[in-house]
Amino acid sequence: MLVLGIESSCDETGVALYDTARGLIGNQLHTQMAMHAEYGGVVPELASRDHIRRLVPLTEACLKEAGVSYGDIDAVAFTQGPGLGGALLAGSSYANALAFALGKPVVPVHHLEGHLLSPLLADEQPPFPFVALLVSGGHTQLMAVRGIGDYTLLGESVDDAAGEAFDKTAKLLGLPYPGGARLSELAKLGRPDAFNFPRPMLHSHDLQMSFSGLKTSVLTTVQKTREAHGGELPDSVRNDICRAFQDAVVDVLAAKAAKAMQQTGFGTLVVAGGVGANWKLRETLGKLHIRRSPRAKPEPVKVYFPPLPLCTDNGAMIAFAGAMRLDGAQTAGAFNVRPRWPLAEIVRSGDTPVSAV
């Protein structure tokens, strides 16, 4: 089965082709970062209009890359939610219109499930069950994943998502949009012990997380530094703040991931979402060890990351998730989207979840 995947939940337009026999055979992506940088953040109306402009050319480029034609497509998967309403409608309308014209079914896909399953597109696939750490601009969640469609929410951020905290902190530091990646690079230049920011909820007995207070601590530090330097923020101090902020976020994520591994008894951790590309997070989780009991020796955790190009929003993860959900295919024609859509709602009631790919 050849599945065309359409991703348009926010500010990336992704189109990809996944063949259930050959794997990923085409993948095209356009990012709107340059367009939104002028405004310091995503402008929903501009995002929606740009998706409309990009979808047809990207689809044709993807077909050419894969060496197939429209007639070879067996189903069209699209991101139904969550995301920006207008952006989702652009992708949904296009996917349904294309599928209707081809006489093929559509497969609505949950954006977070796409991220959750994206590590399965790597050469080395994680085995079920595993704990998934989903870290992106809009979500930070820990999930117990026992199979495709079998997800249990273990904990999440009660306020800002980790990626959101990165971008907001970068803005406080005067870094251009999108600043999260730039903050991470500057952190390499910072001294490790120059500042010590709080690790919110680090020692709580649950798996909840919080990053809003950390962002406030950065704001206070920036204000005091500017006052001490005549309104300026020296580059060296800015780099130190970047380092301290990133270390605090990663410490919390690593501690909560370790606690989730202990609670579930699973031996595998999967990291997905845009923040999964962060060098410090990859370095720290790659060395993660846990104790199964107070007297037990620390044992290493097997950690899987999606390929770097698949950390951002992309059509490949939607095509793959759609291929895994072909039993939920629908007749093309309904343009409904779900801007707010809890991941727990997509578990198939009454079905035995798929346990292998």
Side-chain angles (χ1 to χ4, degrees), residues 131 133 142 207 252-262 269 285 288 290:
V131 168
L133 173 61
L142 282 161
L207 294 173
V252 171
L253 293 175
K256 295 296 182 174
K259 186 182 290 290
M261 302 295 295
Q262 291 169 331
L269 174 67
L285 293 182
L288 190 66
I290 60 171

Side-chain angles (χ1 to χ4, degrees), residues 4 9 12 27 48 56 59 91 104 135 152 200 244 292-294 302 307 319 353:
L4 178 73
S9 63
E12 269 96 21
N27 187 26
S48 303
V56 172
T59 301
K104 303 296 182 180
V135 275
T152 302
R292 294 297 182 184
S293 64
K302 182 64 175 176

Side-chain angles (χ1 to χ4, degrees), residues 3 29 38 78 107 111 119 190 201 237 239 241 249 254 264 297:
V3 180
L29 182 69
E38 181 179 353
F78 68 96
V107 185
H111 178 77
M201 302 184 73
V237 179
N239 297 342
I241 293 174
V249 172
T264 60
K297 294 178 62 177

Side-chain angles (χ1 to χ4, degrees), residues 89 92-94 96-97 333-337:
L89 277 171
S92 172
S93 300
Y94 174 72
N96 277 275
F335 298 162
N336 60 311
V337 295

Side-chain angles (χ1 to χ4, degrees), residues 6-12 42-45 47-48 51 78-92 109-113 115 136-139 313 317-318 336-343:
I6 306 295
E7 158 60 25
S8 68
S9 63
C10 189
D11 59 346
E12 269 96 21
V42 176
V43 181
E45 177 63 20
S48 303
H51 287 310
F78 68 96
T79 302
Q80 189 178 31
L84 301 175
L88 291 168
L89 277 171
S92 172
V109 172
H110 194 293
H111 178 77
L112 297 185
E113 183 174 34
H115 275 303
S136 67
H139 302 84
D313 294 346
M317 66 183 192
I318 302 304
N336 60 311
V337 295
R338 303 187 65 178
R340 296 182 180 275
W341 188 9
L343 181 61

Side-chain angles (χ1 to χ4, degrees), residues 68-351:
V68 298
S69 66
Y70 282 106
D72 296 317
I73 297 172
D74 294 303
V76 180
F78 68 96
T79 302
Q80 189 178 31
L84 301 175
L88 291 168
L89 277 171
S92 172
S93 300
Y94 174 72
N96 277 275
L98 177 59
F100 182 80
L102 296 175
K104 303 296 182 180
V106 293
V107 185
V109 172
H110 194 293
H111 178 77
L112 297 185
E113 183 174 34
H115 275 303
L116 201 65
L117 301 180
S118 60
L120 296 174
L121 287 166
D123 292 335
E124 185 181 5
Q125 298 181 359
F128 294 110
F130 56 78
V131 168
L133 173 61
L134 180 59
V135 275
S136 67
H139 302 84
T140 300
Q141 298 177 326
L142 282 161
M143 310 285 298
V145 180
R146 296 175 177 83
I148 295 174
D150 189 353
Y151 315 126
T152 302
L153 178 64
L154 302 174
E156 61 186 336
S157 175
V158 298
D159 40 54
D160 288 354
E164 182 183 7
F166 263 92
D167 287 337
K168 287 182 176 179
T169 299
K171 191 170 185 178
L172 291 176
L173 295 170
L175 301 178
Y177 172 87
R182 178 60 176 160
L183 184 155
S184 179
E185 288 303 308
L186 293 177
K188 295 178 180 178
L189 306 176
R191 295 172 296 167
D193 301 318
F195 295 98
N196 183 24
F197 291 134
R199 274 69 170 159
M201 302 184 73
L202 181 66
H203 301 294
S204 66
H205 298 295
D206 54 29
L207 294 173
Q208 302 296 85
M209 291 162 277
S210 171
F211 299 106
S212 181
L214 172 58
K215 180 187 62 184
T216 302
S217 294
V218 173
L219 174 61
T220 302
T221 301
V222 170
Q223 290 174 338
K224 290 181 178 179
T225 302
R226 290 188 185 278
E227 291 174 2
H229 291 84
E232 299 294 325
L233 183 64
D235 289 347
S236 60
V237 179
R238 178 199 59 193
N239 297 342
D240 290 340
I241 293 174
C242 290
R243 175 65 180 265
F245 169 82
Q246 179 173 263
D247 287 351
V249 172
V250 170
D251 283 352
V252 171
L253 293 175
K256 295 296 182 174
K259 186 182 290 290
M261 302 295 295
Q262 291 169 331
Q263 288 188 6
T264 60
F266 297 169
T268 302
L269 174 67
V270 167
V271 184
V275 183
N278 181 274
W279 66 270
K280 180 66 174 180
L281 183 63
R282 285 181 173 244
E283 178 183 277
T284 301
L285 293 182
K287 302 174 182 177
L288 190 66
H289 286 66
I290 60 171
R291 294 180 185 272
R292 294 297 182 184
S293 64
R295 295 185 179 182
K297 294 178 62 177
E299 59 183 72
V301 173
K302 182 64 175 176
V303 185
Y304 293 82
F305 295 90
L308 283 174
L310 300 185
C311 286
T312 185
D313 294 346
N314 61 86
M317 66 183 192
I318 302 304
F320 177 74
M324 298 300 103
R325 290 278 188 172
L326 285 173
D327 58 345
Q330 305 173 3
T331 301
F335 298 162
N336 60 311
V337 295
R338 303 187 65 178
R340 296 182 180 275
W341 188 9
L343 181 61
E345 291 185 7
I346 69 172
V347 178
R348 295 170 291 183
S349 59
D351 287 351

